[in-house]
């Protein structure tokens, strides 16, 4: 997944920059050049991963990565909530209480996920600036 690779690459860049800042000495030019080259390669990789991620979400119908991330976060929260409700329902039925809770509705969760997905794929509305009539005078 590109987001995991981006995070790992950012951590590697940070680590190499720290090593570079700690590199002291008159005869460390070769090591310094090596670290700078590695940092440059990783920064280039990070840019390519960002472009790749942008292309993936656009291909799936989202206007940008941020709108996809919003949908993903909302869906993740919904799934966590559903799993907690399911766990509570299972615990209650295992204990065979008199008034068992209703089983969480899977269909409503799927409907919400589809709605989140549809909302996330909508193009953001852009505000239109009105031109002043007094400008031409």
């Amino acid at each position: 997944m590109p987001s995991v690779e981006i995070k790992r690459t950012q951590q590697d860049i940070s680590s190499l920059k720290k090593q570079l800042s700690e590199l002291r000495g008159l005869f460390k030019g070769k090591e310094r050049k090596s670290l700078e080259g590695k940092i440059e390669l990783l920064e280039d990789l990070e840019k390519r991963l960002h472009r790749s991620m942008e292309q993936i979400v656009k291909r799936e119908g989202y206007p940008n990565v941020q709108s996809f991330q919003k949908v993903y976060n909302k869906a993740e929260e919904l799934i966590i909530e559903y799993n907690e409700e399911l766990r509570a329902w299972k615990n209650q039925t295992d204990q065979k209480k008199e008034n068992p809770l209703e089983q969480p509705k899977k269909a409503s969760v799927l409907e919400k996920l589809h709605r989140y997905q549809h909302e996330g794929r909508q193009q953001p509305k852009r505000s239109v600036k009105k031109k002043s009539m007094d400008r031409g005078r």
Side-chain angles (χ1 to χ4, degrees):
M1 175 164 243
S3 64
V4 174
E5 291 177 43
I6 289 172
K7 284 184 181 182
R8 188 176 62 238
T9 302
Q10 289 170 339
Q11 289 171 346
D12 291 347
I13 290 170
S14 177
S15 173
L16 288 175
K17 283 183 176 182
K18 184 178 180 202
Q19 287 178 25
L20 183 63
S21 72
E22 293 171 351
L23 193 61
R24 305 260 187 256
L26 201 53
F27 301 103
K28 301 288 184 172
K30 193 173 187 179
E31 288 179 59
R32 214 178 338 272
K33 274 284 195 206
S34 174
L35 285 173
E36 288 170 348
K38 289 176 184 178
I39 291 169
E40 189 175 320
L41 287 173
L42 286 173
E43 288 173 339
D44 184 50
L45 174 62
E46 181 186 17
K47 288 176 189 173
R48 285 185 283 134
L49 289 170
H50 276 290
R51 280 193 302 269
S52 173
M53 187 182 300
E54 188 75 33
Q55 290 171 350
I56 290 169
V57 298
K58 283 185 178 184
R59 187 174 54 231
E60 292 300 320
Y62 295 92
N64 53 42
V65 174
Q66 291 79 14
S67 61
F68 170 79
Q69 189 65 45
K70 285 179 187 177
V71 171
Y72 180 85
N73 291 341
K74 286 169 81 174
E76 189 174 44
E77 288 173 18
L78 182 64
I79 296 300
I80 289 169
E81 181 182 314
Y82 173 79
N83 285 333
E84 287 172 0
E85 290 174 8
L86 183 61
R87 197 172 14 262
W89 178 80
K90 284 182 178 179
N91 286 340
Q92 193 174 38
T93 55
D94 287 345
Q95 295 171 0
K96 297 186 182 204
K97 289 192 175 184
E98 293 174 13
N99 299 327
L101 292 174
E102 259 184 59
Q103 181 176 7
K105 293 177 179 56
K106 192 185 315 182
S108 66
V109 172
L110 288 174
E111 289 170 8
K112 285 181 182 178
L113 288 173
H114 288 299
R115 189 177 69 236
Y116 294 164
Q117 187 178 34
H118 178 71
E119 289 171 1
R121 288 181 174 168
Q122 300 298 313
Q123 293 291 332
K125 292 183 174 44
R126 299 187 180 176
S127 60
V128 178
K129 293 182 181 178
K130 295 182 180 179
K131 294 183 180 180
S132 173
M133 297 300 272
D134 295 335
R135 244 195 266 175
R137 295 182 190 179

